[in-house]
C-alpha cells in the first residue's frame, strides 16, 4: 500500500524555467510534509517542509504547496538551475511521535542548459 | 554542528553471510535514530527507529535487526543475508525534542548480496 506516491519517475526542465514536482498521499492522518533532495551516492538532504495548517511555504527559489482536500503537494523550483538536477523525494508523517516518515518513490529532475 | 557517519559506503556479501553496518552521530545528544532502506526503483522504507539506548522499534518483519549500544551509535545487523537484502541502506537522526524536526541522513551503504 503506497501511501505517498510520486507518479512521475523523471522530469526534464530547461534552465531558468520553473520545475514542478508533484506528490499525492492517501492517509488523511498525515500532518507534516517534507521534500528531500538526493544526489547519487549520497544520502537525501532536507529541502523544505510544510505543516498541514498551512497551504504554502517558501524558501528562496523553493516553494511547497499543500492541497489538503486533494491530498496533493507540489514543489516549485524557480528559476531552475543545473545544480538542481537530482532525485527529489516527498515524505509525510502523522501524529506518531518519532519521525516515522513515509517516502514517495522519488522523481529524477534533470535541468538542461 | 551535527554530523552523521555511516560505513562502509559499499559492501558486497555472499548469501548466508553476516552483516554489520554502523552509524554514529556527533554534535547532539539523545537523538532519535533510524535505519531506512531504498530498494531499486522504490522509495525509502523505514526499517527501525530508536528513541533511546536499547530501545528499538521494528517497522517491517524482516531478516535484519538493529541495536543501539550507545546514545549516538546505531547498528544494523543480520545473521544470514538473503538476496532480497540487497539495497541502499541509510542511517538518519532527528532531534528528540521537536516533533517536526526533519531527518538528517548519512551518505548510505550500497549492499549487494550475491
Amino acid at each position: 500500500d503506497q501511501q505517498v506516491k510520486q507518479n512521475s519517475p523523471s522530469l526534464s526542465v530547461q534552465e531558468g524555467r520553473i520545475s514542478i514536482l508533484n506528490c499525492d498521499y492517501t492517509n488523511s492522518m498525515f500532518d507534516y510534509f517534507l521534500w528531500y533532495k538526493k544526489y547519487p551516492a549520497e544520502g537525501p538532504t532536507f529541502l523544505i517542509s510544510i505543516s498541514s495548517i498551512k497551504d504554502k511555504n517558501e524558501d528562496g527559489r523553493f516553494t511547497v504547496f499543500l492541497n489538503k482536500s486533494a491530498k496533493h503537494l507540489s514543489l516549485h523550483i524557480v528559476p531552475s538551475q543545473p545544480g538542481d538536477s537530482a532525485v527529489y523525494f516527498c515524505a509525510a508523517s502523522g501524529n506518531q511521535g518519532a519521525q516515522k516518515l513515509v517516502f514517495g518513490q522519488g522523481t529524477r529532475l534533470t535541468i538542461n542548459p | 554542528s551535527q554530523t552523521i557517519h555511516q560505513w562502509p559506503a559499499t559492501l558486497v556479501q555472499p548469501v548466508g553471510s553476516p552483516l554489520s553496518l554502523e552509524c554514529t552521530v556527533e554534535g547532539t545528544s539523545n537523538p532519535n535514530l533510524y535505519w531506512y532502506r531504498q530498494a531499486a526503483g522504490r522509495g525509502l522504507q523505514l526499517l527501525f527507529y530508536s528513541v533511546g539506548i536499547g530501545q528499538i522499534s521494528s517497522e517491517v518483519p524482516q531478516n535484519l535487526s538493529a541495536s543501539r549500544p550507545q546514545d549516538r551509535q546505531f547498528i544494523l545487523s543480520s545473521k544470514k543475508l538473503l538476496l532480497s537484502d540487497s539495497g541502499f541502506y541509510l542511517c538518519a537522526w532527528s532531534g528528540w525534542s521537536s516533533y517536526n524536526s526533519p531527518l538528517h541522513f548519512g551518505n548510505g551503504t550500497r549492499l549487494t548480496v550475491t
Side-chain angles (χ1 to χ4, degrees), chain A residues 2 31-32 34 36 38 41-46 49 51 87 89 93-106, chain B residues 32 34 36 38 41-46 49-51 59 88 90 94-95 98-108 110:
Chain A
Q2 193 76 23
D31 59 4
Y32 186 58
L34 308 90
Y36 281 82
K38 183 182 181 303
E42 294 183 10
T45 55
F46 170 70
S49 64
S51 166
V87 176
F89 290 96
S93 70
N95 186 20
Q96 300 175 51
Q99 290 294 297
K100 294 167 66 172
L101 292 180
V102 179
F103 283 83
Q105 310 97 306
Chain B
N32 292 334
Y34 310 82
Y36 278 84
Q38 183 183 14
R42 305 190 66 179
L44 302 173
Q45 181 185 34
L46 177 62
Y49 72 95
S50 171
V51 298
E59 288 300 294
F88 190 53
L90 289 155
S94 70
S98 175
Y99 166 70
N100 280 336
S101 67
L103 292 181
H104 304 276
F105 287 89
N107 281 336
R110 173 76 57 193

Side-chain angles (χ1 to χ4, degrees), chain B residues 6-114:
Chain B
Q6 187 180 344
W7 66 93
T10 59
L11 189 60
V12 180
Q13 293 281 106
V15 168
S17 65
L19 173 74
S20 181
L21 302 180
E22 189 164 342
C23 171
T24 59
V25 180
E26 295 177 358
T28 186
S29 297
N30 276 346
N32 292 334
L33 296 173
Y34 310 82
W35 280 109
Y36 278 84
R37 175 173 61 199
Q38 183 183 14
R42 305 190 66 179
L44 302 173
Q45 181 185 34
L46 177 62
L47 302 177
F48 299 96
Y49 72 95
S50 171
V51 298
I53 295 174
Q55 300 179 61
I56 309 294
S57 295
S58 174
E59 288 300 294
V60 292
Q62 59 198 300
N63 183 43
L64 302 167
S65 62
S67 62
R68 184 171 178 174
Q70 300 179 44
D71 180 45
R72 288 169 288 179
Q73 183 184 29
F74 206 23
I75 298 172
L76 184 69
S77 305
S78 173
K79 292 182 180 177
K80 290 185 178 182
L81 283 169
L82 305 172
L83 286 174
S84 57
D85 292 325
S86 293
F88 190 53
Y89 289 83
L90 289 155
C91 181
W93 73 272
S94 70
W96 65 271
S97 61
S98 175
Y99 166 70
N100 280 336
S101 67
L103 292 181
H104 304 276
F105 287 89
N107 281 336
T109 296
R110 173 76 57 193
L111 171 66
T112 303
V113 182
T114 59

Side-chain angles (χ1 to χ4, degrees), chain A residues 5-12 21-22 86-88 105-110, chain B residues 41:
Chain A
K5 296 181 183 179
Q6 293 174 257
N7 292 317
S8 298
S10 63
L11 177 67
S12 187
L21 298 116
N22 294 303
V87 176
Y88 289 78
Q105 310 97 306
T107 297
R108 181 177 301 280
L109 175 65
T110 302

